[in-house]
Amino acid sequence: MILAMVVAMALSGCGGDDTKPLSLDAGATQDVSDANVGDAGVDAAQVDAAPVDAAAEFPLHSCAAFAKPCVELRAGDVEGLQEATQLLEKDTTLVLGAGAWHLDNQVTLRKATGITLIGQGIDKTILNFKAQKIQSNGVDVIGDNFRIESLTIEDAKKDALRIEDSKGVTIRKVKVTWTNGPAKENGAYGLYPVKCQDVLIEDSVALNASDAGLYVGQTRNVIVRNNVARGNVAGIEIENTQFADVYGNLAEDNTVGLAVFDLPGNPIIGRDIYVHDNIVKNNNRANFAPGGTVSEVPAGTGTFIMASRRVEFAKNTYENNGTVDIAVVSGLAIQNKASKWRLAKDKVVGDSAGLDLPNDATGISNYRTSDVYLHDNTHKGSGTNPDGNDPWKRPLGFLLLIVYDGATIENVLYDAWGESSFHATDAGKNSNDNRLCLDNEAGATFVSINLPVTLPAAEEGKFAKLTDFFRPKAPFAPFTCKTMKGGPLAPVVLPQLKK
Amino acid sequence: MRFWMHVLTRLRLVVWLGWSVVGWGVVASGAVACTESASSVKADAGVTATDVTGAVDAGDADAAAGSDALAATDTTPASWPLIALDPAAKAPPKLSMIGVARRVNGVLELHPDMVPYELSVPLFSDYAVKRRALWLPAGTAISYRAKGPLDFPVGSILIKSFLFPEDMSEPTKHLRLIETRVIVRDKTEWKAWPYVWDDDGQDATLKVGGTVKSLPFMDVAGNKRTANYLVPQRNQCLDCHDRKDSGGTFTDIIGPKARYLNREILVDGEAVNQLQRLSDNGWLKGMPALGLIDQAFSAEKVAQVGVAQLGKAELNAAARDYLDINCAHCHSPNGVEGRTSQLYLNFDNEDAFLMGVCKAPSSAGKGGFGRSYDIVPGQPDQSILVYRLQTTELGAMMPDIGRSLVHTEGLALVRRWILEMAPVKCDR
């Protein structure tokens, strides 16, 4: 073996001549690097210092419960973790011990499928990025069939947990937070799967993000259940996403509790979002976003549904959201150039068949909000304190503050953008072209504010009067439909939940 | 495993001793053959344009970069082996085991079979001086491609060494050698291995987990500052080097494209076109006539002419090429992460909106800095793009990897480019 290597080295030293260079014997290289690379940090962690007290350091999860390959890393072994996350074998489990980890660099996972990153529980295994010197996210992943569980991620510079372009993602019992409380200096997103497919987020906690705490974007097939979002600008955001089931969550004390929307220019057209049995309350936190679309949302917004379609909200509990519980608005309310919402048909990703969207021979536009079905939600105490603090940045909040002038804003607000007819008093003269359905909204109130007219007027200082708005009594004709075009939403089926 | 380390240590020792150890007869005969090869590459060692010296000062206070260091190459027996790598195997733990470069008396020497090359527009990396070189397996050549990186044969090796000046007012002197990155062409993609130079400067060690190096330096105004240079983790390499298309995701190289290699370099004091030289030497096949090849607007020309003096077309070309090399590895339709933003800064993107004009970002976070659009024509101070280049705050700055300092000259270029755009009112 030695001789073989030496020959190889000597001969190939002449590379460029007529000698065909020889490759290093793969076996030899393998042996060498096994001793030095890749798992070096792991070896060190297991050999160094005091013997591992498994019961104390790995009380909840250890390699005993996982198939090989599995690596246990003791709390604080940052170098071991950074080495172990490179060159991972397929289906490796990394078990992180109980305790604090102080990282100066992002934890980056790439090119490995079936990786599990699992700790000893929320606030037991803590990855802290306060001392981060390089790159901006906390845990940053691209890789199919990824699972992260039972740990806390703190103080990332941008996104605490970013998972991109991956199929089969499970986020379970993960807490993401910024430890100095809500502040504009905090990172943007807490849990941030984007451009993914088959995503499960459950039993997790997202706190204090300066954009969205729990975000799902440009993603297909999602279940978001039994999570808590507090102290964020946006608590839970479902953005440019198809086929999502969002239930059992608590969104509290955010600027906006739970939002479903599309942004212009994104290639996935949002559709089929089922939001039910959530609690959305006390979302009155002053908007502290340093920028971005969410910086334009008035505080006190329970939910907004914008530029989306086939969206069903059922059996949610709304309480004490100062501006409005549910706002249903067109994408043109934030970007009124329809051309910005146009996507070339060959760029569209995912399933946009059967959606009733403005389109032409080569393009399709997703600003329209249609087929929104609200039923069996409860409402209490909202609409008494609209956020009119920034007329330029958040004109809708300012408009409501001025127009309502102390009166209580209705629970459900509709902008009537795209409707062929609007009338402030005669229900029969209001169209329902966008098919907004309200059914059995116990104790709810409803208003349609004709925003395409009232917003530009307000921007010129001419404010509508309350009598200019359409404020029907229940059952809110003509918005009384009970079906969505294309039929009821199908249940979301995730492969990782089939077993 | 320890036994193998011992063997390797001995081998390395042998390498540095010039293969003089008695009893390694096979080695000696190899070395003879190499002597001929060394003499035949002397012309190569004469490449002296700013970036391609075969050896550079790497830290010794009085050793000058350039010709002095080059003389060392000529007087040192250039007879150490360069090992062809099996890209499918694991990376050797020490750089010396590959032999592409070594360091003698504080001087970084390329193996004489390495072909130094330069890019006309380099990626900004905290003012690092970069030494690039390539090596091709015997009997192979690069295939020309008009678009995208040139097509290198399997087994090709590219290396890039990062050297940091102590004093930015003398950016090519007193350089500290930090990292040599070895990039190897496998069957379907490239593999990148970061080697960090040991504290004793004798060899460099593979560090797949990366490291952060704090590098004190004097800025041009004479202030003491510190750069946090990231030797990227293997996975962080992929942030820039992974490309995705309909065939899947693969790791690619960024700089060695025809349009960035299409420039003059000095060989034996004579200016020659770099692509032409590669072609004339048989290292590059299928190259069309030079006049038919796209040429990026070189950073050196920007520096010579001055940003303020560039004409409108020159300004546009220079800024687009700067953004292309610094941003488009992510911000292009093939960038795995940049696609999320739908901001495309590749030089050949012709859609102004997707280039950022009046485009609201989807998730800029504090990188938005309260500004509404990526580019507001005529208004650099209203443009998010400018803020992201002028800040060093993590989570706000761009690129988000590979720099901890502001690239003042690049920022000035992009600012003026936006300033000179015909004003457009972006607001709805």
Side-chain angles (χ1 to χ4, degrees):
Chain A
M1 183 77 90
I2 304 170
L3 195 63
M5 278 186 68
V6 170
V7 172
M9 292 170 87
L11 290 180
S12 50
C14 318
D17 293 336
D18 51 352
T19 319
K20 192 175 187 304
L22 304 174
S23 288
L24 259 184
D25 176 74
T29 325
Q30 195 88 27
D31 289 346
V32 168
S33 36
D34 278 350
N36 291 280
V37 190
D39 56 357
V42 180
D43 285 346
Q46 288 169 350
V47 173
D48 276 2
V52 178
D53 178 353
E57 296 190 43
F58 300 93
L60 189 60
H61 298 289
S62 72
C63 280
F66 293 96
K68 285 185 178 175
C70 179
V71 178
E72 287 178 359
L73 292 153
R74 302 180 69 179
D77 182 13
V78 169
E79 194 174 345
L81 175 61
Q82 295 290 16
E83 294 273 352
T85 50
Q86 317 297 316
L87 305 166
L88 281 165
E89 266 183 79
K90 187 172 182 289
D91 299 328
T92 298
T93 299
L94 297 175
V95 184
L96 308 184
W101 304 62
H102 297 280
L103 296 112
D104 66 357
N105 194 351
Q106 181 175 288
V107 173
T108 307
L109 294 173
R110 293 289 184 276
K111 294 226 165 168
T113 64
I115 302 304
T116 294
L117 191 60
I118 191 162
Q120 305 304 317
I122 284 177
D123 290 343
K124 296 285 192 288
T125 293
I126 300 170
L127 303 181
N128 184 290
F129 291 88
K130 199 163 201 119
Q132 192 163 13
K133 287 196 205 124
I134 292 293
Q135 273 210 317
S136 45
N137 301 321
V139 178
D140 185 298
V141 179
I142 301 176
D144 293 347
N145 299 322
F146 172 73
R147 171 180 160 200
I148 182 166
E149 189 167 327
S150 299
L151 52 83
T152 292
I153 302 171
E154 292 178 348
D155 297 330
K157 302 297 178 193
K158 189 165 184 279
D159 309 331
L161 172 60
R162 183 182 179 108
I163 304 170
E164 199 153 2
D165 218 35
S166 305
K167 188 174 175 180
V169 174
T170 300
I171 300 168
R172 180 180 292 128
K173 297 178 188 165
V174 173
K175 175 178 165 185
V176 289
T177 186
W178 283 266
T179 55
N180 62 338
K184 71 177 191 313
E185 294 77 21
N186 292 352
Y189 294 91
L191 303 169
Y192 188 90
V194 64
K195 293 190 314 232
C196 291
Q197 191 176 329
D198 301 330
V199 173
L200 172 64
I201 305 178
E202 63 180 1
D203 303 322
S204 293
V205 181
L207 310 177
N208 307 336
S210 70
D211 197 304
L214 193 166
Y215 165 101
V216 178
Q218 302 180 47
T219 288
R220 281 175 282 171
N221 297 340
V222 183
I223 294 177
V224 175
R225 61 186 184 190
N226 306 326
N227 304 288
V228 174
R230 273 199 194 97
N232 309 285
V233 175
I236 298 172
E237 259 184 31
I238 310 295
E239 182 183 308
N240 290 88
T241 285
Q242 303 190 330
F243 312 107
D245 191 359
V246 180
Y247 63 94
N249 303 287
L250 170 66
E252 183 181 24
D253 189 24
N254 307 285
T255 300
V256 48
L258 193 163
V260 176
F261 61 97
D262 277 12
L263 288 179
N266 272 314
I268 291 194
I269 292 175
R271 65 173 299 176
D272 292 65
I273 312 292
Y274 186 27
V275 179
H276 59 100
D277 300 292
N278 302 283
I279 298 170
V280 182
K281 65 176 184 182
N282 300 324
N283 292 291
N284 299 309
R285 180 165 288 280
N287 197 318
F288 61 98
T293 304
V294 292
S295 68
E296 297 170 25
V297 181
T301 305
T303 284
F304 70 91
I305 300 164
M306 181 186 83
S308 194
R309 64 241 17 106
R310 289 177 52 77
V311 176
E312 180 173 349
F313 271 65
K315 295 183 280 182
N316 299 293
T317 302
Y318 284 90
E319 217 174 289
N320 294 323
N321 301 300
T323 298
V324 68
D325 280 345
I326 302 176
V328 181
V329 296
S330 165
L332 297 175
I334 62 153
Q335 173 52 265
N336 73 353
K337 290 190 185 105
S339 61
K340 296 265 177 81
W341 292 88
R342 187 179 176 281
L343 292 160
K345 276 182 179 163
D346 60 357
K347 296 268 163 59
V348 172
V349 176
D351 180 4
S352 55
L355 300 179
D356 193 7
L357 291 165
N359 68 92
D360 53 50
T362 57
I364 186 164
S365 297
N366 62 333
Y367 55 79
R368 183 180 185 192
T369 302
S370 63
D371 295 294
V372 171
Y373 181 22
L374 312 177
H375 63 96
D376 301 294
N377 301 294
T378 62
H379 304 268
K380 195 173 113 186
S382 296
T384 58
N385 184 24
D387 170 14
N389 288 336
D390 192 333
W392 304 112
K393 199 151 203 175
R394 297 184 277 277
L396 182 57
F398 188 66
L399 173 68
L400 296 175
L401 178 74
I402 297 293
V403 174
Y404 280 82
D405 190 24
T408 299
I409 300 166
E410 285 78 3
N411 304 132
V412 178
L413 179 150
Y414 178 44
D415 70 352
W417 211 302
E419 292 297 341
S420 53
S421 62
F422 173 88
H423 196 280
T425 52
D426 186 345
K429 287 183 180 165
N430 281 278
S431 64
N432 188 11
D433 301 326
N434 292 327
R435 294 178 300 277
L436 168 63
C437 309
L438 281 76
D439 180 26
N440 195 27
E441 284 284 291
T445 51
F446 171 84
V447 63
S448 172
I449 67 170
N450 199 21
L451 201 62
V453 172
T454 54
L455 185 60
E459 282 172 349
E460 288 173 16
K462 289 176 235 154
F463 290 93
K465 296 184 189 65
L466 205 42
T467 50
D468 295 329
F469 290 173
F470 175 49
R471 308 165 78 202
K473 297 273 178 289
F476 317 117
F479 306 101
T480 53
C481 43
K482 297 181 184 183
T483 57
M484 285 183 285
K485 194 172 182 326
L489 300 178
V492 175
V493 178
L494 295 181
Q496 62 264 52
L497 288 175
K498 274 185 179 169
K499 291 157 202 161
Chain B
M1 290 201 280
R2 285 182 197 285
F3 168 70
W4 275 108
M5 264 319 292
H6 177 66
V7 170
L8 284 162
T9 308
R10 280 196 60 191
L11 275 175
R12 197 165 74 240
L13 191 66
V14 168
V15 169
W16 292 141
L17 290 175
W19 305 91
S20 59
V21 178
V22 180
W24 298 83
V26 181
V27 174
S29 70
V32 172
C34 288
T35 312
E36 292 165 12
S37 133
S39 63
S40 71
V41 293
K42 270 200 170 170
D44 293 351
V47 178
T48 55
T50 49
D51 239 14
V52 293
T53 44
V56 294
D57 161 30
D60 287 0
D62 294 317
S67 55
D68 287 353
L70 198 64
T73 307
D74 290 336
T75 54
T76 307
S79 56
W80 77 93
L82 189 154
I83 308 300
L85 293 163
D86 176 359
K90 285 192 178 179
K94 287 287 184 180
L95 186 66
S96 59
M97 296 170 65
I98 310 172
V100 285
R102 67 178 182 182
R103 195 182 193 206
V104 178
N105 300 326
V107 173
L108 177 69
E109 292 179 17
L110 291 178
H111 188 279
D113 288 348
M114 299 295 295
V115 179
Y117 68 94
E118 289 180 70
L119 303 178
S120 53
V121 187
L123 171 78
F124 174 74
S125 312
D126 280 356
Y127 293 101
V129 172
K130 298 178 194 173
R131 306 287 169 185
R132 301 178 180 82
L134 61 87
W135 179 85
L136 305 170
T140 69
I142 306 162
S143 296
Y144 179 83
R145 267 196 205 134
K147 270 195 86 171
L150 298 179
D151 188 8
F152 284 76
V154 172
S156 297
I157 302 174
L158 304 184
I159 65 165
K160 184 156 72 166
S161 297
F162 294 76
L163 301 99
F164 285 85
E166 290 174 0
D167 184 343
M168 290 301 170
S169 60
E170 294 181 299
T172 59
K173 291 186 177 169
H174 312 307
L175 300 170
R176 289 162 290 185
L177 176 60
I178 304 300
E179 181 196 356
T180 293
R181 207 168 291 170
V182 177
I183 306 151
V184 188
R185 176 72 199 194
D186 199 356
K187 286 190 184 66
T188 56
E189 63 181 358
W190 291 86
K191 291 188 169 166
W193 300 329
Y195 290 87
V196 179
W197 285 88
D198 301 339
D199 288 340
D200 66 8
Q202 294 303 302
D203 201 350
T205 303
L206 180 68
K207 197 120 176 112
V208 291
T211 190
V212 180
K213 292 263 183 189
S214 282
L215 298 171
F217 68 96
M218 197 87 84
D219 70 14
V220 284
N223 301 311
K224 282 184 182 173
R225 295 174 60 190
T226 301
N228 285 313
Y229 174 70
L230 170 76
V231 177
Q233 299 171 359
R234 178 260 190 193
N235 288 346
Q236 284 172 318
C237 296
L238 307 178
D239 279 356
C240 296
H241 287 274
D242 261 8
R243 287 168 55 78
K244 185 171 184 176
D245 64 17
S246 53
T249 303
F250 61 102
T251 307
D252 208 349
I253 49 176
I254 299 167
K257 299 174 178 130
R259 65 191 311 274
Y260 294 115
L261 293 167
N262 186 8
R263 55 162 294 162
E264 287 195 335
I265 55 168
L266 292 176
V267 178
D268 289 339
E270 191 185 337
V272 296
N273 181 281
Q274 180 168 247
L275 281 176
Q276 194 65 57
R277 174 170 179 258
L278 289 171
S279 179
D280 290 348
N281 282 289
W283 296 324
L284 172 63
K285 64 183 181 200
M287 190 185 94
L290 266 185
L292 299 173
I293 302 175
D294 186 19
Q295 190 165 35
F297 198 94
S298 86
E300 284 156 20
K301 190 166 178 196
V302 174
Q304 282 161 14
V305 177
V307 168
Q309 308 303 319
L310 292 172
K312 196 145 189 163
E314 291 177 318
L315 182 64
N316 189 55
R320 292 300 300 267
D321 289 340
Y322 178 82
L323 293 172
D324 186 71
I325 211 78
N326 281 283
C327 316
H329 40 267
C330 285
H331 285 285
S332 79
N334 300 110
V336 177
E337 290 162 81
R339 279 191 310 127
T340 302
S341 68
Q342 299 281 306
L343 176 68
Y344 297 146
L345 298 171
N346 44 306
F347 79 93
D348 51 356
N349 169 27
E350 290 171 1
D351 185 317
F353 175 69
L354 293 178
M355 189 180 75
V357 173
C358 296
K359 181 182 182 301
S362 52
S363 63
K366 56 192 164 189
F369 200 54
R371 302 176 184 186
S372 298
Y373 303 100
D374 293 332
I375 294 174
V376 181
Q379 302 281 346
D381 289 322
Q382 292 302 313
S383 301
I384 290 171
L385 183 65
V386 167
Y387 175 69
R388 292 198 151 215
L389 296 177
Q390 77 190 19
T391 181
T392 55
E393 188 186 354
L394 293 183
M397 70 173 191
M398 283 285 161
D400 80 335
I401 188 169
R403 81 167 173 97
S404 66
L405 305 174
V406 175
H407 187 206
T408 311
E409 298 77 8
L411 175 62
L413 175 65
V414 173
R415 285 187 65 94
R416 178 153 183 256
W417 175 60
I418 293 175
L419 184 68
E420 297 292 326
M421 288 179 180
V424 174
K425 198 171 185 305
C426 288
D427 285 333
R428 59 186 177 82

